[in-house]
Amino acid sequence: MNDQARKTKMIAAFEERFGAAPELWSRAPGRVDLMGSHTDYNMGFVMTMTVDRDTWIAARPRDDGKVAIASLNVAGGGEFDLAHITPAEDAPWTNYVRGVAWALQQAGIQNLVGFDGLVHSTIPFGSGLSSSAALEIATAVMFQLTGDFELDPVEMALLAQKAENDFVGVNCGILDQYSSAMGQAASALLLDCRDLSSHPVPIASGLNVVICDTRAQRNLAGSEYGERRTQCEEGVRLLQAFYPDIRALRDVSLPQFAAHEQALPEVVAKRCRFVIEENQRVLDLAEILPYGDATALSELFAASWAGARDLYEISAPAMEAMMKAMLSAPGVIAARQAGAGFGGCMVALVGDGAIDDFARHVAAVYQADTGIHPSVYAVVAAAGAGVVEA
Ligand code: GLA
């Protein structure tokens, strides 16, 4: 569906639901990380890329201080009062919208203007491409359009993260919201999660980014994600005995870590080693990505995957099957996990002219192995959040 058809469909649905045409349009994209698993909450680096899959909100301002929100993707919407924002149990997806309104108010923005809103997303839900962050950021943009205030995109990302951490209750880092707010068309972004600066990194021609969705269940609110965070924090606390100045794993070099690795409990040491090595791989990728050295890319991605599987232990049988399928496919240059792991999407770099053969092979091999039909598709870097231009 092209943008115009999408808009037409949303206008018709909006009119049917709310009895008038929408006046304002916001959008926010999903993202995929090309390197840097679980480095964000360790204040490290991530090579992130927005994808050309996004979430749109069509809206019409209201003057009664209420927000009514519905979706073309998910049944059940809801209405809430901006003067008294509470989480919804019947339609939990609306909590991303409620949470952003709440976080904006917490930041001192009291003059929010409510709206009737209809959401439509082309980001598959719960697959690790940041569908939640895209809804949060599209909501923040919409509140800016209806209200009388301006946020810079980094502030917006921080408030959306606060919504997710403190209202929805998922203790995520800044990666997803930052990427959605700040992404750039046609290049990846090297993000520094400590000072929240980023700069574009061109992707060499001949490298195509292909998402390989295992379509295996994953749930970020599950205990594993929080457990990894706690283990990293414990590592920092123990390493501070040797390096009092460190604040996060970002501050520890590999030689420094190796010198005292033995002093850490085995599991904590594995988690720390992965993060410290992965952080360096992000910086290495920033050097390689613009030139596209296939051997170096393949080695870097393979090392990231091996670490995710053996040290950080965020793999799942479906991910192992997907790796096998990706690595044996025609045209593959490099392949690794993406997002939080534990299922969800993975990512491959594929050579020009090979995408269709690659996708066919991956689907056949993966399905034969797991019985699950995967979803395999190429993505390109898209602009960060804003108004819908169509
Ligand atoms: C999820 C979280 C991010 C980040 C990644 C892992 O996507 O929302 O903050 O921690 O996992 O890199």
Side-chain angles (χ1 to χ4, degrees):
M1 190 174 22
N2 67 26
D3 283 359
Q4 215 46 56
R6 189 175 176 190
K7 203 165 180 179
T8 305
K9 182 174 158 183
M10 285 181 74
I11 292 173
F14 191 99
E15 282 174 343
E16 196 182 318
R17 176 124 193 165
F18 297 114
E23 292 166 12
L24 301 168
W25 295 79
S26 66
R27 62 165 285 280
R31 67 94 192 89
V32 63
D33 49 295
L34 299 180
M35 194 60 69
S37 293
H38 295 260
T39 48
D40 67 343
Y41 52 81
N42 289 297
M43 299 296 117
F45 299 100
V46 190
M47 185 67 70
T48 179
M49 188 187 108
T50 39
V51 296
D52 51 340
R53 299 268 180 145
D54 57 9
T55 296
W56 288 11
I57 301 179
R60 209 165 162 260
R62 288 170 67 136
D63 56 14
D64 61 356
K66 291 187 177 158
V67 174
I69 192 87
S71 163
L72 279 181
N73 303 88
V74 194
E79 185 170 301
F80 62 96
D81 193 331
L82 288 166
H84 181 63
I85 304 171
T86 51
E89 271 155 37
D90 52 340
W93 71 268
T94 67
N95 288 335
Y96 298 107
V97 177
R98 292 164 196 258
V100 167
W102 171 84
L104 289 166
Q105 290 177 348
Q106 292 284 307
I109 301 165
Q110 294 303 336
N111 53 344
L112 294 182
V113 175
F115 54 84
D116 289 332
L118 180 70
V119 180
H120 177 252
S121 186
T122 55
I123 310 168
F125 296 151
S127 70
L129 295 185
S130 296
S131 55
S132 321
L135 177 55
E136 289 156 4
I137 297 292
T139 299
V141 172
M142 185 51 75
F143 274 118
Q144 280 196 107
L145 295 175
T146 61
D148 182 22
F149 65 94
E150 250 184 65
L151 290 173
D152 76 59
V154 176
E155 263 180 297
M156 196 191 289
L158 286 165
L159 288 176
Q161 183 197 17
K162 184 181 170 67
E164 182 131 3
N165 289 169
D166 299 339
F167 192 90
V168 179
V170 176
N171 202 17
C172 63
I174 192 64
L175 168 64
D176 307 349
Q177 291 79 9
Y178 188 100
S179 307
S180 186
M182 290 285 288
Q184 297 214 0
S187 64
L189 215 57
L190 174 61
L191 162 63
D192 179 335
C193 298
R194 170 163 278 152
D195 68 9
L196 299 181
S197 66
S198 58
H199 68 264
V201 177
I203 301 172
S205 63
L207 295 179
N208 300 282
V209 178
V210 179
I211 303 294
C212 299
D213 186 348
T214 62
R215 298 185 66 232
Q217 279 299 327
R218 72 184 260 295
N219 179 7
L220 254 202
S223 62
E224 297 278 6
Y225 184 86
E227 237 170 66
R228 297 299 183 283
R229 278 194 85 143
T230 309
Q231 288 159 342
C232 292
E233 283 156 16
E234 194 190 342
V236 172
R237 199 174 49 75
L238 295 169
L239 288 166
Q240 276 169 341
F242 309 101
Y243 310 110
D245 291 341
I246 63 165
R247 291 283 162 272
L249 289 179
R250 147 76 175 273
D251 302 316
V252 186
S253 70
L254 201 53
Q256 280 178 323
F257 175 70
H260 298 287
E261 190 170 6
Q262 300 304 327
L264 271 45
E266 195 189 331
V267 172
V268 173
K270 285 204 286 189
R271 306 297 189 247
C272 294
R273 176 170 275 281
F274 171 73
V275 169
I276 295 166
E277 290 178 348
E278 181 81 349
N279 221 18
Q280 183 56 48
R281 282 190 286 266
V282 177
L283 300 175
D284 294 346
L285 182 62
E287 304 286 318
I288 301 169
L289 201 56
Y291 306 104
D293 177 332
T295 309
L297 287 168
S298 153
E299 284 173 8
L300 215 50
F301 274 49
S304 176
W305 160 249
R309 183 192 54 204
D310 303 335
L311 298 175
Y312 220 64
E313 297 180 279
I314 52 172
S315 182
M319 291 169 67
E320 312 244 349
M322 185 57 88
M323 264 319 272
K324 207 175 91 189
M326 292 191 291
L327 288 178
S328 61
V332 67
I333 293 168
R336 69 184 282 279
Q337 72 285 357
F342 310 112
C345 287
M346 304 188 70
V347 60
L349 300 177
V350 177
D352 277 347
I355 298 173
D356 290 347
D357 288 343
F358 173 89
R360 256 192 303 275
H361 173 99
V362 167
V365 171
Y366 177 79
Q367 185 161 6
D369 232 13
T370 61
I372 306 170
H373 187 67
S375 167
V376 183
Y377 51 92
V379 288
V380 294
V387 295
V388 171
E389 303 284 356

